[in-house]
Amino acid sequence: MAFGQFYLRIGRCHLGRLVVNPEYRGCGIVATLITQLSELGQLTLATQTCSLFVLAHNKSAIKAYKKLGFVLADYPEPIPLANCLYMTKTPG
């Protein structure tokens, strides 16, 4: 139904390869995926902030991430993908 990974990137729990099967989109699975990955990643990596990249044209993903507390942020170096945005979430 869904897949994602986390790893340490610039001191944050970075979420990557996030995907939800199209048949299950709109069912709240992305919220569960992001919440569980974030919690496990923060615990495992001993960090309190999360980050992710999202393609600028993926409006539905951006909307979902914002709803979960992520905000657009500046990345400290050139982003490795074209037309890509960087988003972060801090606790609280």
Side-chain angles (χ1 to χ4, degrees):
M1 291 170 39
F3 177 83
Q5 295 176 307
F6 66 83
Y7 57 94
L8 191 63
R9 184 182 198 119
I10 309 179
R12 293 185 170 108
C13 171
H14 190 81
L15 309 179
R17 297 186 177 167
L18 303 170
V19 64
V20 175
N21 183 320
E23 292 180 28
Y24 297 99
R25 290 182 184 158
C27 299
I29 292 173
V30 72
T32 302
L33 176 67
I34 298 294
T35 300
Q36 290 183 359
L37 273 178
S38 296
E39 289 174 0
L40 180 60
Q42 289 170 320
L43 180 65
T44 303
L45 302 171
T47 185
Q48 294 187 12
T49 59
C50 291
S51 63
L52 55 82
F53 291 118
V54 61
L55 293 173
H57 69 271
N58 193 344
K59 303 298 182 196
S60 61
I62 294 168
K63 182 179 176 180
Y65 299 148
K66 284 183 176 182
K67 188 175 179 179
L68 293 167
F70 284 83
V71 296
L72 294 172
D74 292 325
Y75 193 66
E77 55 190 53
I79 294 179
L81 299 170
N83 199 30
C84 197
L85 304 172
Y86 182 64
M87 300 182 82
T88 62
K89 179 182 177 184
T90 55

Coordinates of all heavy atoms in Angstrom, one line a residue:
M1 N 0.8 -1.2 0.0 CA 0.0 0.0 0.0 C 0.9 1.3 0.0 O 0.5 2.2 -0.6 CB -0.9 0.0 1.2 CG -2.0 -1.1 1.1 SD -3.0 -1.5 2.5 CE -3.5 0.0 3.3
A2 N 2.0 1.3 0.7 CA 2.8 2.4 0.8 C 4.3 2.0 1.2 O 4.5 0.9 1.7 CB 2.3 3.4 1.9
F3 N 5.2 2.9 0.9 CA 6.6 2.6 1.2 C 7.3 3.9 1.4 O 7.0 5.0 0.9 CB 7.3 1.9 -0.1 CG 8.7 1.7 0.1 CD1 9.2 0.5 0.8 CD2 9.7 2.5 -0.4 CE1 10.5 0.3 1.0 CE2 11.0 2.3 -0.2 CZ 11.4 1.2 0.5
G4 N 8.3 3.9 2.3 CA 9.2 5.0 2.5 C 10.4 4.6 3.3 O 10.5 3.5 3.9
Q5 N 11.4 5.4 3.3 CA 12.7 5.2 4.0 C 13.1 6.4 4.8 O 12.6 7.5 4.5 CB 13.8 4.8 3.0 CG 13.6 3.5 2.3 CD 14.7 3.3 1.2 OE1 15.0 4.1 0.4 NE2 15.3 2.1 1.3
F6 N 14.0 6.3 5.7 CA 14.6 7.4 6.4 C 16.1 7.2 6.6 O 16.5 6.0 6.6 CB 13.9 7.7 7.8 CG 14.1 6.6 8.8 CD1 15.3 6.5 9.5 CD2 13.2 5.6 9.0 CE1 15.5 5.5 10.5 CE2 13.3 4.6 9.9 CZ 14.5 4.5 10.7
Y7 N 16.8 8.3 6.6 CA 18.2 8.2 6.9 C 18.6 9.6 7.4 O 17.9 10.6 7.3 CB 19.0 7.8 5.6 CG 18.8 8.7 4.4 CD1 19.7 9.8 4.2 CD2 17.8 8.5 3.5 CE1 19.5 10.6 3.1 CE2 17.6 9.3 2.4 CZ 18.4 10.4 2.2 OH 18.2 11.2 1.1
L8 N 19.8 9.7 8.0 CA 20.3 11.0 8.5 C 20.9 11.8 7.4 O 21.7 11.4 6.6 CB 21.4 10.7 9.5 CG 21.8 11.9 10.4 CD1 20.7 12.4 11.2 CD2 23.0 11.5 11.3
R9 N 20.4 13.0 7.2 CA 20.8 14.0 6.2 C 20.9 15.4 6.8 O 19.9 15.9 7.3 CB 19.9 14.0 5.0 CG 20.4 14.8 3.9 CD 19.4 14.8 2.7 NE 20.1 15.3 1.5 CZ 20.3 14.6 0.4 NH1 19.8 13.4 0.3 NH2 21.0 15.1 -0.6
I10 N 22.1 15.9 6.9 CA 22.3 17.3 7.5 C 21.7 17.4 8.9 O 21.0 18.3 9.2 CB 21.8 18.4 6.5 CG1 22.3 18.2 5.1 CG2 22.2 19.7 7.1 CD1 21.9 19.2 4.1
G11 N 21.9 16.3 9.7 CA 21.4 16.3 11.1 C 19.9 16.1 11.3 O 19.4 16.3 12.4
R12 N 19.2 15.8 10.2 CA 17.8 15.6 10.3 C 17.4 14.2 9.8 O 18.1 13.5 9.1 CB 17.0 16.6 9.4 CG 17.1 18.0 9.8 CD 16.3 18.9 8.9 NE 16.2 20.2 9.4 CZ 16.8 21.3 8.9 NH1 17.5 21.1 7.8 NH2 16.7 22.5 9.5
C13 N 16.3 13.7 10.3 CA 15.7 12.5 9.8 C 15.1 12.8 8.5 O 14.1 13.4 8.4 CB 14.6 12.0 10.8 SG 13.7 10.6 10.2
H14 N 15.8 12.3 7.4 CA 15.3 12.7 6.1 C 14.5 11.5 5.5 O 14.9 10.4 5.5 CB 16.5 12.9 5.2 CG 16.1 13.4 3.8 ND1 15.8 14.8 3.6 CD2 15.9 12.8 2.6 CE1 15.5 14.9 2.4 NE2 15.5 13.8 1.7
L15 N 13.3 11.8 5.1 CA 12.3 10.8 4.6 C 12.5 10.8 3.1 O 12.6 11.8 2.4 CB 10.9 11.2 4.9 CG 10.6 11.5 6.4 CD1 9.2 11.9 6.6 CD2 11.0 10.3 7.3
G16 N 12.6 9.6 2.5 CA 12.8 9.5 1.1 C 12.1 8.3 0.5 O 11.6 7.4 1.2
R17 N 12.0 8.3 -0.8 CA 11.3 7.3 -1.6 C 9.9 7.0 -1.1 O 9.4 5.9 -0.9 CB 12.1 6.0 -1.6 CG 13.4 6.2 -2.2 CD 14.2 4.9 -2.3 NE 15.4 5.1 -3.1 CZ 16.4 4.3 -3.1 NH1 16.4 3.1 -2.5 NH2 17.5 4.6 -3.8
L18 N 9.2 8.1 -0.8 CA 7.8 8.0 -0.3 C 6.9 7.8 -1.4 O 6.8 8.5 -2.4 CB 7.5 9.3 0.5 CG 8.4 9.7 1.6 CD1 8.1 11.1 2.1 CD2 8.3 8.7 2.7
V19 N 6.1 6.7 -1.3 CA 5.1 6.4 -2.3 C 3.9 5.7 -1.7 O 4.0 4.9 -0.8 CB 5.8 5.6 -3.4 CG1 6.2 4.2 -2.9 CG2 4.8 5.4 -4.6
V20 N 2.7 6.1 -2.2 CA 1.5 5.4 -1.8 C 0.9 4.8 -3.1 O 0.8 5.6 -4.1 CB 0.5 6.4 -1.1 CG1 -0.8 5.7 -0.9 CG2 1.1 6.9 0.2
N21 N 0.5 3.6 -3.1 CA -0.2 3.0 -4.2 C -1.4 3.9 -4.7 O -2.2 4.3 -3.8 CB -0.7 1.6 -3.8 CG -1.4 0.8 -5.0 OD1 -2.1 1.4 -5.8 ND2 -1.1 -0.5 -5.0
P22 N -1.5 4.2 -5.9 CA -2.5 5.1 -6.4 C -3.9 4.6 -6.0 O -4.8 5.5 -5.8 CB -2.4 5.1 -7.9 CG -0.9 4.8 -8.1 CD -0.5 3.9 -7.0
E23 N -4.1 3.4 -5.9 CA -5.5 2.8 -5.5 C -5.8 3.2 -4.1 O -7.0 3.2 -3.7 CB -5.5 1.3 -5.6 CG -5.4 0.8 -7.1 CD -5.4 -0.7 -7.1 OE1 -6.0 -1.3 -6.3 OE2 -4.9 -1.2 -8.1
Y24 N -4.8 3.6 -3.3 CA -5.1 3.9 -1.8 C -4.9 5.3 -1.5 O -5.0 5.7 -0.3 CB -4.2 3.0 -1.0 CG -4.5 1.5 -1.1 CD1 -3.7 0.7 -1.9 CD2 -5.6 1.0 -0.5 CE1 -4.0 -0.6 -2.1 CE2 -5.9 -0.4 -0.6 CZ -5.1 -1.2 -1.4 OH -5.4 -2.5 -1.6
R25 N -4.6 6.2 -2.5 CA -4.4 7.6 -2.2 C -5.8 8.2 -1.8 O -6.8 7.8 -2.3 CB -3.9 8.3 -3.4 CG -2.4 7.9 -3.7 CD -1.8 8.6 -4.8 NE -0.5 8.0 -5.0 CZ 0.2 8.1 -6.2 NH1 -0.3 8.7 -7.2 NH2 1.4 7.6 -6.3
G26 N -5.7 9.2 -0.9 CA -6.9 9.8 -0.4 C -7.5 9.1 0.8 O -8.6 9.5 1.2
C27 N -6.9 8.1 1.3 CA -7.4 7.3 2.4 C -6.7 7.5 3.7 O -6.9 6.8 4.7 CB -7.3 5.8 2.1 SG -8.2 5.3 0.6
G28 N -5.8 8.5 3.7 CA -5.1 8.8 5.0 C -3.8 8.0 5.2 O -3.2 8.1 6.2
I29 N -3.5 7.2 4.2 CA -2.3 6.4 4.4 C -1.0 7.2 4.4 O -0.1 6.9 5.2 CB -2.2 5.3 3.3 CG1 -3.4 4.3 3.5 CG2 -0.9 4.6 3.2 CD1 -3.5 3.3 2.3
V30 N -0.9 8.3 3.7 CA 0.3 9.1 3.7 C 0.5 9.7 5.1 O 1.7 9.7 5.6 CB 0.2 10.2 2.6 CG1 -0.8 11.3 3.0 CG2 1.6 10.8 2.4
A31 N -0.5 10.0 5.8 CA -0.4 10.5 7.2 C 0.2 9.5 8.1 O 1.1 9.7 8.9 CB -1.7 11.0 7.7
T32 N -0.3 8.3 8.0 CA 0.2 7.1 8.8 C 1.7 6.9 8.4 O 2.5 6.7 9.3 CB -0.6 5.9 8.6 OG1 -2.0 6.2 9.0 CG2 -0.1 4.7 9.4
L33 N 2.0 6.8 7.2 CA 3.3 6.5 6.7 C 4.3 7.6 7.2 O 5.4 7.2 7.8 CB 3.4 6.5 5.2 CG 4.7 6.3 4.5 CD1 5.3 4.9 4.8 CD2 4.7 6.5 3.0
I34 N 4.0 8.8 7.0 CA 4.9 9.9 7.4 C 5.1 9.9 8.9 O 6.2 10.1 9.5 CB 4.4 11.3 6.9 CG1 4.4 11.3 5.4 CG2 5.2 12.4 7.5 CD1 5.7 11.2 4.7
T35 N 4.0 9.8 9.7 CA 4.0 9.8 11.1 C 4.9 8.7 11.7 O 5.7 8.9 12.5 CB 2.6 9.8 11.7 OG1 1.9 10.9 11.2 CG2 2.6 9.8 13.2
Q36 N 4.6 7.5 11.2 CA 5.4 6.3 11.7 C 6.9 6.4 11.3 O 7.7 6.1 12.1 CB 4.7 5.0 11.3 CG 3.4 4.8 12.0 CD 2.8 3.5 11.6 OE1 3.3 2.7 10.8 NE2 1.6 3.2 12.2
L37 N 7.1 6.8 10.1 CA 8.5 6.9 9.6 C 9.3 8.0 10.4 O 10.4 7.8 10.8 CB 8.6 7.2 8.1 CG 8.6 6.1 7.1 CD1 8.6 6.6 5.7 CD2 9.7 5.1 7.4
S38 N 8.6 9.1 10.6 CA 9.2 10.2 11.4 C 9.5 9.8 12.8 O 10.6 10.0 13.3 CB 8.3 11.4 11.4 OG 8.1 11.9 10.1
E39 N 8.6 9.2 13.5 CA 8.8 8.7 14.9 C 9.9 7.7 15.0 O 10.8 7.9 15.8 CB 7.5 8.2 15.4 CG 6.4 9.2 15.7 CD 5.1 8.7 16.1 OE1 4.9 7.4 16.2 OE2 4.1 9.5 16.3
L40 N 9.9 6.7 14.1 CA 10.9 5.7 14.2 C 12.3 6.3 13.8 O 13.3 6.0 14.4 CB 10.6 4.5 13.2 CG 11.6 3.4 13.2 CD1 11.8 2.7 14.5 CD2 11.1 2.4 12.1
G41 N 12.3 7.1 12.8 CA 13.5 7.7 12.3 C 14.1 8.7 13.4 O 15.3 8.6 13.6
Q42 N 13.3 9.5 14.0 CA 13.8 10.4 15.0 C 14.4 9.6 16.2 O 15.4 10.0 16.7 CB 12.7 11.3 15.5 CG 12.4 12.4 14.4 CD 11.1 13.1 14.8 OE1 10.1 12.6 15.3 NE2 11.1 14.4 14.4
L43 N 13.7 8.6 16.6 CA 14.2 7.7 17.7 C 15.5 7.0 17.3 O 16.5 7.1 18.0 CB 13.1 6.7 18.1 CG 13.5 5.8 19.2 CD1 13.6 6.5 20.5 CD2 12.4 4.7 19.4
T44 N 15.5 6.4 16.2 CA 16.7 5.7 15.7 C 17.9 6.6 15.5 O 19.0 6.2 15.8 CB 16.4 4.9 14.4 OG1 15.2 4.1 14.6 CG2 17.5 4.1 13.9
L45 N 17.7 7.7 14.9 CA 18.7 8.6 14.5 C 19.1 9.7 15.6 O 20.0 10.5 15.4 CB 18.4 9.3 13.2 CG 18.2 8.4 12.0 CD1 17.6 9.1 10.8 CD2 19.4 7.6 11.7
A46 N 18.3 9.7 16.7 CA 18.5 10.7 17.8 C 18.5 12.1 17.3 O 19.4 12.9 17.6 CB 19.8 10.4 18.5
T47 N 17.4 12.4 16.6 CA 17.2 13.8 16.1 C 15.7 14.2 16.3 O 14.9 13.3 16.4 CB 17.6 14.0 14.6 OG1 17.5 15.3 14.2 CG2 16.8 13.1 13.7
Q48 N 15.5 15.5 16.3 CA 14.1 15.9 16.6 C 13.4 16.6 15.3 O 12.3 17.0 15.4 CB 14.0 16.9 17.7 CG 14.4 16.2 19.0 CD 14.2 17.2 20.2 OE1 13.6 18.2 20.1 NE2 14.7 16.8 21.4
T49 N 14.2 16.7 14.3 CA 13.6 17.3 13.1 C 13.6 16.4 11.9 O 14.5 15.4 11.8 CB 14.4 18.6 12.7 OG1 15.8 18.3 12.5 CG2 14.3 19.6 13.8
C50 N 12.7 16.6 11.0 CA 12.6 15.7 9.8 C 12.7 16.6 8.5 O 12.4 17.8 8.6 CB 11.3 15.0 9.7 SG 11.2 13.7 11.0
S51 N 13.0 16.0 7.4 CA 13.1 16.7 6.2 C 12.7 15.8 5.0 O 12.7 14.6 5.2 CB 14.5 17.3 5.9 OG 15.4 16.3 5.8
L52 N 12.4 16.4 3.9 CA 12.1 15.6 2.7 C 12.3 16.5 1.5 O 12.2 17.7 1.6 CB 10.7 15.0 2.8 CG 9.5 15.9 3.0 CD1 9.0 16.5 1.7 CD2 8.4 15.0 3.6
F53 N 12.4 15.9 0.3 CA 12.4 16.6 -1.0 C 11.1 16.2 -1.6 O 10.5 15.1 -1.5 CB 13.5 16.1 -1.9 CG 14.9 16.5 -1.5 CD1 15.9 15.6 -1.1 CD2 15.2 17.9 -1.4 CE1 17.1 16.0 -0.7 CE2 16.5 18.3 -1.0 CZ 17.5 17.3 -0.7
V54 N 10.5 17.1 -2.4 CA 9.3 16.9 -3.2 C 9.4 17.7 -4.5 O 9.9 18.8 -4.5 CB 8.0 17.3 -2.3 CG1 8.1 18.8 -2.0 CG2 6.8 16.9 -3.1
L55 N 8.9 17.0 -5.5 CA 8.9 17.7 -6.8 C 7.9 18.9 -6.8 O 6.8 18.7 -6.3 CB 8.6 16.7 -7.9 CG 9.6 15.6 -8.2 CD1 9.1 14.6 -9.2 CD2 10.9 16.2 -8.7
A56 N 8.3 20.0 -7.3 CA 7.5 21.2 -7.3 C 6.2 21.1 -7.9 O 5.2 21.7 -7.5 CB 8.3 22.4 -7.9
H57 N 6.0 20.2 -8.9 CA 4.7 20.1 -9.6 C 3.8 19.1 -8.9 O 2.6 19.0 -9.2 CB 4.9 19.6 -11.0 CG 5.4 18.2 -11.1 ND1 6.8 17.9 -11.1 CD2 4.8 17.0 -11.2 CE1 7.0 16.6 -11.2 NE2 5.8 16.0 -11.3
N58 N 4.3 18.4 -7.8 CA 3.4 17.5 -7.1 C 2.6 18.2 -6.0 O 2.9 18.1 -4.8 CB 4.3 16.4 -6.5 CG 3.5 15.2 -6.0 OD1 2.3 15.3 -5.8 ND2 4.2 14.1 -5.8
K59 N 1.6 18.9 -6.5 CA 0.8 19.8 -5.6 C 0.1 19.0 -4.5 O 0.0 19.4 -3.3 CB -0.2 20.6 -6.4 CG 0.4 21.5 -7.4 CD 1.4 22.5 -6.9 CE 1.9 23.4 -8.0 NZ 3.1 24.2 -7.6
S60 N -0.4 17.8 -4.8 CA -1.1 17.0 -3.8 C -0.1 16.5 -2.7 O -0.5 16.5 -1.5 CB -1.8 15.8 -4.4 OG -0.9 14.9 -5.1
A61 N 1.1 16.2 -3.0 CA 2.1 15.8 -2.0 C 2.5 17.0 -1.1 O 2.5 16.9 0.1 CB 3.3 15.2 -2.6
I62 N 2.7 18.1 -1.8 CA 3.0 19.3 -1.0 C 1.9 19.7 0.0 O 2.2 20.0 1.1 CB 3.3 20.5 -2.0 CG1 4.6 20.2 -2.8 CG2 3.5 21.8 -1.2 CD1 4.8 21.1 -3.9
K63 N 0.7 19.6 -0.5 CA -0.5 19.9 0.4 C -0.5 18.9 1.5 O -0.7 19.3 2.7 CB -1.8 19.8 -0.5 CG -3.0 20.1 0.3 CD -4.2 20.0 -0.6 CE -5.5 20.3 0.3 NZ -6.7 20.2 -0.6
A64 N -0.3 17.6 1.3 CA -0.3 16.6 2.3 C 0.8 16.9 3.3 O 0.6 16.8 4.6 CB -0.2 15.2 1.7
Y65 N 2.0 17.2 2.9 CA 3.1 17.4 3.8 C 2.9 18.7 4.6 O 3.2 18.7 5.8 CB 4.4 17.5 3.0 CG 4.8 16.3 2.2 CD1 5.5 16.4 1.0 CD2 4.5 15.0 2.6 CE1 5.8 15.3 0.3 CE2 4.8 13.9 1.9 CZ 5.5 14.0 0.7 OH 5.8 12.9 0.0
K66 N 2.3 19.7 4.0 CA 2.0 20.9 4.8 C 1.0 20.6 5.9 O 1.1 21.1 7.0 CB 1.5 22.0 3.9 CG 2.6 22.7 3.1 CD 2.1 23.8 2.2 CE 3.2 24.6 1.5 NZ 2.7 25.7 0.7
K67 N 0.0 19.8 5.5 CA -1.0 19.4 6.5 C -0.4 18.7 7.7 O -0.9 18.7 8.8 CB -2.1 18.6 5.8 CG -3.3 18.3 6.6 CD -4.3 17.5 5.8 CE -5.6 17.2 6.7 NZ -6.6 16.5 5.9
L68 N 0.7 18.0 7.4 CA 1.4 17.2 8.5 C 2.4 18.0 9.2 O 3.2 17.5 10.0 CB 2.0 16.0 7.9 CG 1.0 14.9 7.4 CD1 1.7 13.9 6.5 CD2 0.3 14.3 8.5
G69 N 2.5 19.3 8.9 CA 3.4 20.2 9.6 C 4.7 20.6 8.9 O 5.5 21.3 9.5
F70 N 4.9 20.1 7.7 CA 6.2 20.4 7.0 C 6.0 21.8 6.4 O 4.9 22.2 6.0 CB 6.5 19.4 5.9 CG 7.0 18.1 6.4 CD1 6.2 17.1 6.9 CD2 8.4 17.8 6.4 CE1 6.7 15.9 7.4 CE2 8.9 16.6 6.9 CZ 8.0 15.7 7.4
V71 N 7.1 22.5 6.3 CA 7.2 23.8 5.7 C 8.3 23.9 4.7 O 9.3 23.1 4.8 CB 7.4 25.0 6.7 CG1 6.2 25.0 7.7 CG2 8.7 24.8 7.5
L72 N 8.2 24.7 3.7 CA 9.3 24.9 2.7 C 10.4 25.5 3.4 O 10.3 26.4 4.3 CB 8.8 25.8 1.5 CG 7.7 25.2 0.7 CD1 7.2 26.2 -0.3 CD2 8.2 23.9 -0.1
A73 N 11.6 25.1 3.1 CA 12.9 25.6 3.7 C 14.0 25.7 2.6 O 13.9 25.1 1.6 CB 13.3 24.7 4.8
D74 N 15.0 26.5 3.0 CA 16.1 26.6 2.1 C 17.1 25.4 2.4 O 17.3 25.0 3.5 CB 16.9 27.9 2.4 CG 16.1 29.1 1.9 OD1 15.4 29.0 0.9 OD2 16.2 30.1 2.6
Y75 N 17.6 24.8 1.3 CA 18.5 23.7 1.4 C 19.9 24.3 1.4 O 20.2 25.2 0.5 CB 18.3 22.7 0.3 CG 19.1 21.4 0.6 CD1 18.7 20.6 1.6 CD2 20.1 21.0 -0.3 CE1 19.4 19.4 1.8 CE2 20.8 19.8 -0.1 CZ 20.4 19.0 1.0 OH 21.1 17.8 1.2
P76 N 20.9 23.9 2.2 CA 22.2 24.6 2.3 C 23.1 24.4 1.1 O 24.2 24.9 1.1 CB 22.8 24.0 3.6 CG 22.1 22.7 3.8 CD 20.7 22.9 3.2
E77 N 22.7 23.6 0.2 CA 23.6 23.4 -1.0 C 22.6 23.1 -2.2 O 21.4 23.0 -2.0 CB 24.5 22.2 -0.8 CG 23.8 20.9 -0.4 CD 24.8 19.8 0.1 OE1 25.6 20.1 1.0 OE2 24.7 18.7 -0.4
P78 N 23.2 23.0 -3.4 CA 22.3 22.8 -4.5 C 21.5 21.5 -4.3 O 22.1 20.4 -3.9 CB 23.2 22.7 -5.7 CG 24.4 23.5 -5.3 CD 24.6 23.3 -3.8
I79 N 20.2 21.5 -4.6 CA 19.4 20.3 -4.5 C 19.7 19.3 -5.6 O 19.9 19.8 -6.8 CB 17.9 20.7 -4.5 CG1 17.5 21.5 -3.2 CG2 17.0 19.4 -4.6 CD1 16.1 21.9 -3.2
P80 N 19.9 18.1 -5.3 CA 20.4 17.1 -6.3 C 19.4 16.8 -7.4 O 19.8 16.2 -8.4 CB 20.7 15.8 -5.4 CG 19.9 16.0 -4.2 CD 19.8 17.5 -4.0
L81 N 18.2 17.2 -7.3 CA 17.2 17.0 -8.3 C 16.6 18.3 -8.9 O 16.4 19.2 -8.1 CB 16.0 16.1 -7.8 CG 16.4 14.8 -7.2 CD1 15.2 14.2 -6.5 CD2 16.8 13.8 -8.4
A82 N 16.4 18.3 -10.2 CA 15.8 19.5 -10.8 C 14.4 19.7 -10.4 O 13.7 18.7 -10.1 CB 15.9 19.4 -12.3
N83 N 13.9 20.9 -10.3 CA 12.5 21.2 -10.0 C 12.0 20.6 -8.7 O 11.0 20.0 -8.6 CB 11.6 20.8 -11.2 CG 10.3 21.4 -11.1 OD1 10.1 22.6 -10.7 ND2 9.3 20.8 -11.6
C84 N 12.9 20.6 -7.7 CA 12.6 20.0 -6.4 C 12.6 21.0 -5.3 O 13.4 21.9 -5.3 CB 13.7 18.9 -6.2 SG 13.4 17.7 -5.0
L85 N 11.8 20.8 -4.3 CA 11.6 21.6 -3.1 C 12.1 20.8 -1.9 O 12.0 19.6 -1.9 CB 10.2 22.1 -2.9 CG 9.6 22.8 -4.1 CD1 8.1 23.0 -3.8 CD2 10.3 24.1 -4.4
Y86 N 12.5 21.6 -0.9 CA 13.0 21.0 0.4 C 12.0 21.4 1.4 O 11.7 22.6 1.5 CB 14.4 21.5 0.7 CG 15.1 20.9 1.9 CD1 15.3 19.6 2.0 CD2 15.4 21.8 3.0 CE1 16.0 19.1 3.2 CE2 16.1 21.3 4.1 CZ 16.3 19.9 4.2 OH 16.9 19.4 5.3
M87 N 11.6 20.5 2.3 CA 10.7 20.8 3.3 C 11.2 20.2 4.6 O 11.8 19.1 4.6 CB 9.3 20.2 3.0 CG 8.7 20.7 1.7 SD 7.0 20.1 1.4 CE 6.0 21.2 2.5
T88 N 10.9 20.9 5.7 CA 11.3 20.4 7.1 C 10.2 20.5 8.0 O 9.2 21.2 7.8 CB 12.5 21.3 7.6 OG1 12.0 22.6 7.8 CG2 13.7 21.2 6.7
K89 N 10.3 19.7 9.1 CA 9.3 19.7 10.2 C 10.1 19.6 11.5 O 10.9 18.8 11.7 CB 8.4 18.6 10.1 CG 7.3 18.5 11.2 CD 6.4 17.3 11.0 CE 5.5 17.3 12.2 NZ 4.6 16.1 12.2
T90 N 9.8 20.6 12.4 CA 10.3 20.5 13.7 C 9.2 20.1 14.7 O 8.0 20.4 14.4 CB 10.9 21.9 14.1 OG1 9.9 22.9 14.0 CG2 12.1 22.2 13.3
P91 N 9.6 19.6 15.8 CA 8.6 19.2 16.8 C 7.8 20.4 17.4 O 8.4 21.5 17.4 CB 9.3 18.4 17.9 CG 10.7 18.9 17.8 CD 10.9 19.3 16.3
G92 N 6.6 20.1 17.9 CA 5.9 21.1 18.5 C 4.8 21.6 17.8 O 3.8 22.1 17.7

